[in-house]
Amino acid sequence: MLIQHRWLNWLFIGLLCLIIYAISADNITVFDYNRELIIDGEYWRLLSGNFNHTNIYHLLLNLSALAVMAGLHYRYYSSAAYASLILCLSIGVGIGILWLSPSTHLYVGLSGVLHGIIIVGAIVDISKRYYSGYVLIIGTIIKVVNEQLFNSPIEMSQLIEATVLTEAHLYGLVTGFIIAPLFVYLNKKKSA
């Protein structure tokens, strides 16, 4: 029962993305990251922009990645820890875009948060002496550095019908490194 319960945490985020996408399909943009509206006080957009998507392909790509991360690391998080992880990563990505990418006016997608999930899970792996965590970290860093230097493949932008905001991936990765010690501590405390 515990395994099923922990899968529900991950399923909830997937369902949230599906619901927001369905609502937004009618050109309702209340959930999108919109720089001007955030500056005007609509702060929820720092979070909610992470859960909307440009099209069904964008949504399915991110939900597939979420499912892979769930398969690797679902056992590391209680419901409260998982909610905290998603909240921290969403805020980190949203604030990173706001402060460090001033030319970005609109953004949607879970990929920045996903990069943070990978890093936090990999660091918890390492703390448990699962050395595959190093492979995840090195691979993710190489991917993000490559994106910063050469941008993402044009085919991906065509598929999701938007420019891939590779900076969001960087902000998710950095936020993941910053908050990972907290989740290592929570995991050790849970195991004790």
Side-chain angles (χ1 to χ4, degrees), residues 100-116:
L100 303 172
S101 298
S103 64
T104 300
H105 296 280
L106 298 172
Y107 169 74
V108 294
L110 193 62
S111 58
V113 171
L114 290 169
H115 282 73

Side-chain angles (χ1 to χ4, degrees), residues 15 26 40 44 48-49 86 89 107 121 130 138 170 188 190:
L15 289 174
D26 292 329
D40 287 343
W44 71 85
S48 64
I86 299 301
L89 290 169
Y107 169 74
Y130 299 138
I138 292 166
L170 175 63
K188 286 184 178 177
K190 181 185 75 173

Side-chain angles (χ1 to χ4, degrees), residues 27-90:
N27 290 325
I28 296 171
T29 61
V30 71
F31 299 108
D32 296 359
Y33 173 100
N34 182 311
R35 177 178 214 68
E36 287 73 29
L37 296 176
I38 291 168
I39 291 170
D40 287 343
E42 295 184 13
Y43 303 117
W44 71 85
R45 293 173 178 273
L46 289 168
L47 298 173
S48 64
N50 292 287
F51 302 102
N52 200 4
H53 292 82
T54 57
N55 62 26
I56 193 68
Y57 300 112
H58 189 201
L59 176 65
L60 292 175
L61 283 168
N62 281 332
L63 292 183
S64 297
L66 184 67
V68 169
M69 290 300 98
L72 290 173
H73 299 133
Y74 73 91
R75 65 193 179 283
Y76 293 163
Y77 309 104
S78 65
S79 293
Y82 184 70
S84 300
L85 174 70
I86 299 301
L87 182 65
C88 290
L89 290 169
S90 297

Side-chain angles (χ1 to χ4, degrees), residues 4-21:
Q4 293 168 345
H5 171 72
R6 292 208 179 151
W7 268 97
L8 289 176
N9 299 325
W10 298 79
L11 183 62
F12 174 77
I13 296 302
L15 289 174
L16 178 64
C17 290
L18 282 167
I19 291 166
I20 289 175
Y21 176 74

Side-chain angles (χ1 to χ4, degrees), residues 91-103:
I91 290 170
V93 171
I95 289 176
I97 295 169
L98 185 68
W99 288 349
L100 303 172
S101 298
S103 64

